[in-house]
Amino acid sequence: MKEVFSNPSMETIISLAKRRGFVFPGSEIYGGLAGTYDYGPLGVMLKNNLKTLWWRMFVESRDDMYGVDAAILMNPKIWEASGHVSGFSDPLIVCVKCKYHFRIDQVNTKPKKDKENNVVKSDEVWICEHCGTKNDMSEPRQFNMMFKTYAGASDDAVGVYLRPETAGGIFMNYKNIIDSMHPKFPFGIAQIGKAFRNEIAPRDFIFRLRELEQMEVEFFIKSDEWKQMFEQWRVLMHEYARAIGIQDSALHELEVLPEDRAHYSERTIDFEFDYPFGRKELWGLAYRTDFDLSAHEKGSGVELKYFDEVTKEKFIPHVIEPSLGVDRTVLAVLLCAYHKDELGEDGRVYLAFPPTIAPIKAMVSPLLKNKPELVEKAREVYVALKKDIPQVMWDDNGNIGKRYRRQDEIGTPFCITIDFDTLGEKPELKDTVTLRDRDTGSQERIPIKELSERIQAVL
Ligand code: ATP
């Protein structure tokens, strides 16, 4: 079988995501709201699977990790201490002609050249990608990206922020975890949850959102072990990428230069992905020194040192932070999974999700929907299988070929068909079904009683 295409455009992915119930534009019937998207039935399942696998690999499979689910609204002093109130901003410039807002690095610039075609470095041509105007941009100004709201009735309302990252809630629970769980050192805290950033120019589907979800770890260490710990988490991030179907060749580590790193960071790696719109950040890994806990100790007046019972040392831990955006992960996974080949008469599209993250694990259907004896038997197989594997789906719409195409397009690894041989038309095949493999389209006959084990073996 010849593979014809596996590098989808953004339009292809956005359209499939909408058509098949993965991702819808937010507030659509009111014209949408920039930077917001809603996950549909298939998208929720995919996202849950990605989060569950991350939790399993980054938290449950280790004995040095603790999970939290902190409040999104927090005391605003937290964001003062962390530096977000003064520094969580992007440089904003506005096209004077059309008033379109840009983050400075999103503006197309062309170096100005002299008559001999030499670049005149000091002066660049700025082009508004919205209206095409050249060199008519406002002076840049810093724009704070935190969303502000008010907690309480209007008279005594307190200005609060929607958290711009989940890490803040983790640092707030560092002391609670020590006091309640008595962790041995080193240990880490993980959280999955929503974060909000008033991005100047949300764009590229679910890549740059104003409401996003993150999976973050703060791993507390002694300063002299940071290199080894950094490496440990770097390796785990690659393992996770492989497990969710992001090929090694699509993921690139960018060593962030000292001048581009946050001032407290001693080392940062951006894990970049080849999106159709260019190579851009997917995840980040940073060594944040003891900046966060020191700042919160100072800001709150509460001691945040760790006392090591064994060595009798008392110190402020340093931190390694793997930070993964869920939405960018969904996008990367969809882009990697998308395949088109020439199977069947008209060719087909299929999403080659690893079975662990596929929203639906198997589809059960009767060969013909107007034969009650086939439907009854198929229902029996479906009900029994669904007890073992809840993400099994029933489909008897259209002909069997169409059902296979539909399942291929949502990435279902297996299709199970109940036919007359299942009922015993050929006695030697009684109580067997066809099991179709999504990637090859090949079918085999297997006994009903082996179905569950066979599917669960790859989940
Ligand atoms: P960028 O440079 O692309 O704005 P960032 O460096 O500000 O990203 P971090 O603050 O390191 O991002 O956030 C950690 C992770 O959260 C990112 O690697 C990304 O996966 C995700 N993320 C950050 N901002 C957004 C956003 N606006 N929309 C979707 N995901 C985001």
Side-chain angles (χ1 to χ4, degrees), residues 100-266:
Y100 204 78
H101 289 53
F102 296 93
R103 221 170 73 166
I104 208 160
D105 59 308
Q106 288 172 341
V107 178
N108 290 322
T109 56
K110 263 198 205 148
K112 208 169 188 173
K113 293 181 178 174
D114 63 16
K115 282 187 193 130
E116 273 94 46
N117 219 19
N118 297 319
V119 173
V120 184
K121 283 200 183 111
S122 58
D123 203 0
E124 289 183 317
V125 180
W126 295 72
I127 304 165
C128 171
E129 68 171 44
H130 192 239
C131 72
T133 300
K134 284 184 190 160
N135 274 343
D136 206 3
M137 296 283 176
S138 69
E139 282 300 307
R141 71 176 163 91
Q142 289 299 319
F143 172 76
N144 192 296
M145 294 201 293
M146 283 199 292
F147 276 100
K148 198 167 189 181
T149 185
Y150 295 91
S154 54
D155 292 349
D156 56 359
V158 180
V160 291
Y161 301 101
L162 301 188
R163 67 181 179 203
E165 55 180 34
T166 57
I170 295 183
F171 290 119
M172 284 312 103
N173 285 287
Y174 156 84
K175 188 170 181 315
N176 289 333
I177 297 292
I178 290 182
D179 294 345
S180 60
M181 310 303 289
H182 313 290
K184 288 214 174 60
F185 212 78
F187 71 98
I189 306 178
Q191 172 162 236
I192 300 180
K194 290 264 182 162
F196 301 82
R197 298 181 177 193
N198 198 359
E199 294 279 357
I200 294 168
R203 57 170 65 191
D204 298 320
F205 190 40
I206 50 175
F207 174 79
R208 189 169 298 287
L209 295 167
R210 288 190 172 137
E211 178 175 340
L212 55 130
E213 200 167 5
Q214 293 180 315
M215 311 184 276
E216 293 195 302
V217 166
E218 304 303 325
F219 198 69
F220 302 102
I221 56 164
K222 289 184 180 164
S223 58
D224 59 2
E225 55 191 357
W226 81 264
K227 286 192 178 141
Q228 172 204 344
M229 294 297 169
F230 192 94
E231 186 57 17
Q232 201 188 89
W233 289 99
R234 191 181 72 78
V235 169
L236 188 60
M237 288 167 82
H238 280 287
E239 280 172 23
Y240 178 66
R242 265 174 235 126
I244 60 177
I246 298 178
Q247 302 90 343
D248 286 346
S249 58
L251 201 59
H252 311 274
E253 285 186 10
L254 174 81
E255 193 71 50
V256 179
L257 297 172
E259 57 268 34
D260 297 330
R261 287 196 300 251
H263 63 93
Y264 47 79
S265 172
E266 287 277 319

Side-chain angles (χ1 to χ4, degrees), residues 338-407:
Y338 187 92
H339 287 74
K340 212 169 175 183
D341 67 19
E342 292 173 342
L343 187 75
E345 282 166 22
D346 311 319
R348 57 140 187 183
V349 166
Y350 68 104
L351 296 181
F353 292 134
T356 327
I357 63 154
I360 306 287
K361 311 301 182 194
M363 182 274 276
V364 181
S365 81
L367 181 64
L368 301 168
K369 102 187 225 192
N370 56 359
K371 298 283 175 202
E373 61 277 33
L374 283 182
V375 175
E376 195 185 328
K377 186 69 184 173
R379 259 344 268 187
E380 206 181 281
V381 172
Y382 168 71
V383 170
L385 200 56
K386 205 168 170 66
K387 280 200 187 116
D388 292 346
I389 308 165
Q391 306 90 344
V392 169
M393 185 176 159
W394 171 265
D395 190 359
D396 59 5
N397 279 326
N399 66 37
I400 195 76
K402 287 213 176 98
R403 292 177 214 158
Y404 288 161
R405 295 290 169 276
R406 265 201 303 274
Q407 294 302 320

